[in-house]
């Protein structure tokens, strides 16, 4: 038998599997280098992971109602899904946007939408994760501006922006600008948050979307950590000391139904990252060496056939994430393979986490798989294979050079094709799809998005542009363009001002003047252009 990564799985593991295994070196103590057993000494024994639910659809008002429902149901953190136009930096009234407004997330065009999205939600008390990449800085600044209106100082804000543009070129496709200026914007965000929003996690370096595109567990962590190295290098080259920003780095992984390999994957990723940060970047702060991560259960493994079976899949996937030591977790709703989740389905997904946290005994001891013949052996094998793949990327000149050569994308596509062949041939069982099928599934009524949302958003934009000071907006956008034309941020002196080359300061002032998401992104498009992959020709 072989694992998802193609590594051998033995029918029986015994002491011989760990011959020469040095527990002190390979494991250490929980909360201590190399963090194999978890990033905190007590892990869940004092409090469980943060339970997030990813939500956002239609208008800001509709999403706001869902957030209030989730908070009332007991969720401890919000996770915002944005619609495709917002992710791509287009306003809802743009020609390319009209058919996609509010479909896969909430439409945010300006500060006015952001006010509605978080109406009645105390931003100083909730932790908010935003799945946004190319325009991540824009949405973060809108969030900060709304918090200011609530009277919440920036140093009380907690949460995460995904802000991981490199994986967009590899697997997901919601990029705007070419890689180099995109990395500049990421580094500027690191510097801005260090000084302005110190508790914010400035990036969630994501393997999740690569896994959804077909990456194996080994590819998922190898390509994610290779991307992370590129971000660290970019930040160091911009003048930041590694220990000044690395403690705010976070990661985002998938949890599949192959529970044992997933647990081993998470443990191997922590160990690799600790050594990389210590040995390659000279990080001295233990928090810089910790790989803290959010997990989402595997949407790609959900099926439209017999959707209730997804409840079982999600429970197994959530167990893998918890046993692997995740810091926060989103459990998918059972109906997500069909449509946006209904309120009932979203509540059941949250209840899955609550049952694990409060009715099982997994929160009573730290890293219960430590010393397992099978899991420790699999952890070592995944680490070895992932390190070899990271080295391949480095030999190509790093993640950006490898992306430009199409390496990661091609490797993932090969894995996805192999999986598809196994499912089609019946070698890989998918319950309800190629085995254990039923003739007639029970009827299901999906959540539907009102197609008139695009028109309503366009009307809101028209009113906004009629009421605001358009001369001021033009001046602010010109300021942004002029700074974007310069080569990049100067070395950080620790006292950041609007004149130090950091793009987030003119960005914030443009948004404060009620420039739209599309307008600020267009200003940067004017200077940087857009990225067109070589294989698009």
């Amino acid at each position: 038998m072989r694992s998802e990564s193609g590594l051998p799985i033995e029918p029986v593991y015994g002491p011989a599997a760990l011959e020469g295994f040095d527990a002190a070196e390979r494991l250490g103590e929980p909360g201590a280098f190399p963090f194999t057993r978890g990033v905190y000494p007590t892990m869940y024994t004092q409090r469980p992971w943060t339970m997030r639910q990813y939500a956002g659809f239609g208008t800001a008002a509709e999403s706001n109602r869902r957030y209030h429902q989730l908070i009332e149901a007991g969720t401890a953190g919000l996770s915002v899904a944005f619609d495709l136009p917002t992710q791509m930096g287009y306003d809802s009234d743009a020609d390319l946007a009209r058919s996609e407004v509010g479909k896969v997330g909430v439409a945010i065009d300006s500060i006015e939408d952001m006010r509605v999205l978080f109406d009645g939600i105390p931003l100083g008390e909730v932790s908010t994760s935003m799945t946004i990449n190319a325009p991540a800085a824009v949405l973060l600044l809108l969030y900060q501006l709304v918090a200011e209106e609530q009277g919440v100082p920036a140093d009380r804000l907690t949460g995460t922006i995904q802000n991981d543009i490199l994986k967009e070129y590899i697997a997901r496709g919601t990029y705007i600008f070419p890689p180099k200026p995109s990395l500049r914007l990421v580094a500027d965000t690191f510097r801005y948050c260090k000084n302005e929003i110190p508790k914010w996690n400035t990036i969630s370096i994501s393997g999740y979307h690569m896994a959804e595109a077909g990456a194996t567990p080994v590819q998922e962590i190898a390509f994610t950590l290779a991307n992370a190295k590129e971000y660290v290098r970019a930040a160091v080259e911009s003048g930041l000391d590694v220990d000044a920003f690395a403690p705010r780095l976070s990661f985002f992984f998938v949890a599949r139904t192959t529970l044992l390999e997933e647990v081993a994957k998470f443990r191997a990723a922590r160990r690799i990252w600790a050594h990389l940060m210590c040995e390659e970047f000279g990080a001295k702060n233990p928090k810089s060496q910790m790989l803290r991560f959010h997990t989402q259960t595997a949407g790609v493994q959900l099926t439209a056939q017999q959707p209730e079976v997804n409840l079982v899949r999600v429970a197994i996937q959530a167990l893998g994430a918890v046993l692997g030591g995740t810091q926060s977790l989103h459990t998918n709703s059972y109906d997500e393979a069909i449509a946006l989740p209904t309120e009932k389905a979203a509540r059941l997904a949250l209840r899955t986490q609550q049952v694990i946290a409060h009715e099982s005994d997994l929160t009573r001891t730290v890293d219960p798989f430590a010393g397992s013949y099978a899991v420790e052996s699999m952890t070592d094998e995944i680490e070895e294979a992932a390190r070899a793949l990271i080295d391949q990327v480095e030999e190509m000149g790093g993640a950006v050079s490898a992306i430009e050569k199409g390496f990661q994308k091609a490797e993932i596509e090969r894995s996805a094709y192999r999986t598809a062949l196994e499912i089609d041939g019946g070698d890989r069982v998918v319950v309800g799809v190629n085995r254990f099928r039923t003739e007639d599934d029970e009827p299901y009524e999906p959540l539907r998005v009102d197609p008139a949302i695009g028109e309503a958003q366009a009307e809101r934009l028209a009113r906004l542009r009629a009421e605001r000071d358009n001369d001021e907006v033009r001046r602010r956008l010109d300021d942004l363009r002029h700074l974007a034309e310069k080569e990049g941020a100067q070395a950080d002196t620790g006292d950041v001002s609007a004149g130090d080359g950091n793009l987030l300061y003119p960005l914030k002032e443009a948004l404060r003047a009620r420039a739209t998401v599309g307008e600020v992104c267009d200003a940067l498009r004017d200077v940087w252009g857009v990225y067109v992959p070589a294989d698009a020709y």
Side-chain angles (χ1 to χ4, degrees), residues 224-424:
T224 301
L225 298 185
N227 286 350
K229 289 178 66 174
E230 199 80 53
Y231 292 126
V232 173
R233 275 194 288 258
V236 169
E237 288 170 4
S238 79
L240 277 174
D241 179 82
V242 66
D243 286 319
F245 67 89
R248 303 315 306 175
L249 300 179
S250 66
F251 293 79
F252 176 24
F253 294 118
V254 77
R256 301 169 179 82
T257 52
T258 44
L259 186 146
L260 294 180
E261 186 178 18
E262 292 299 285
V263 172
K265 175 193 77 177
F266 295 132
R267 300 169 89 252
R270 276 195 295 269
R271 192 156 67 205
I272 295 170
W273 184 245
H275 282 285
L276 283 177
M277 291 302 289
C278 182
E279 296 161 11
E280 294 193 29
F281 293 103
K284 301 291 191 297
N285 186 343
K287 291 183 178 179
S288 299
Q289 303 162 3
M290 293 178 183
L291 185 142
R292 298 172 302 113
F293 64 95
H294 169 72
T295 309
Q296 181 173 338
T297 54
V300 73
Q301 292 187 318
L302 303 185
T303 64
Q305 299 92 332
Q306 300 181 40
E308 291 86 354
V309 177
N310 293 328
L311 287 164
V312 182
R313 294 187 177 102
V314 168
I316 294 171
Q317 293 162 359
L319 284 170
V322 171
L323 287 165
T326 192
Q327 276 58 72
S328 66
L329 176 61
H330 163 76
T331 33
N332 287 333
S333 301
Y334 73 89
D335 53 359
E336 286 187 37
I338 303 170
L340 289 168
T342 60
E343 180 184 343
K344 177 182 178 181
R347 186 170 59 249
L348 284 170
L350 178 60
R351 295 288 182 255
T352 301
Q353 296 196 52
Q354 291 167 335
V355 168
I356 294 172
H358 301 292
E359 295 189 23
S360 81
D361 57 2
L362 294 186
T363 58
R364 297 177 188 173
T365 188
V366 177
D367 189 26
F369 274 136
S372 158
Y373 298 134
V375 170
E376 297 297 2
S377 179
M378 293 171 77
T379 300
D380 286 352
E381 289 171 351
I382 289 172
E383 179 183 6
E384 182 181 0
R387 281 183 175 277
L389 199 48
I390 292 169
D391 289 344
Q392 271 189 274
V393 172
E394 288 296 295
E395 287 165 7
M396 294 180 182
V400 170
S401 295
I403 287 167
E404 292 171 344
K405 294 178 175 71
F407 173 69
Q408 300 98 319
K409 190 170 182 286
E411 291 293 302
I412 291 169
E413 286 173 350
R414 272 192 284 273
S415 297
Y417 181 61
R418 185 167 57 249
T419 297
L421 290 178
E422 290 172 357
I423 293 171
D424 290 345

Side-chain angles (χ1 to χ4, degrees), residues 30 94 147 153 175 191 330 341 441 445:
Y175 45 73
R191 299 170 66 244
H330 163 76
D441 286 338
E445 184 60 36

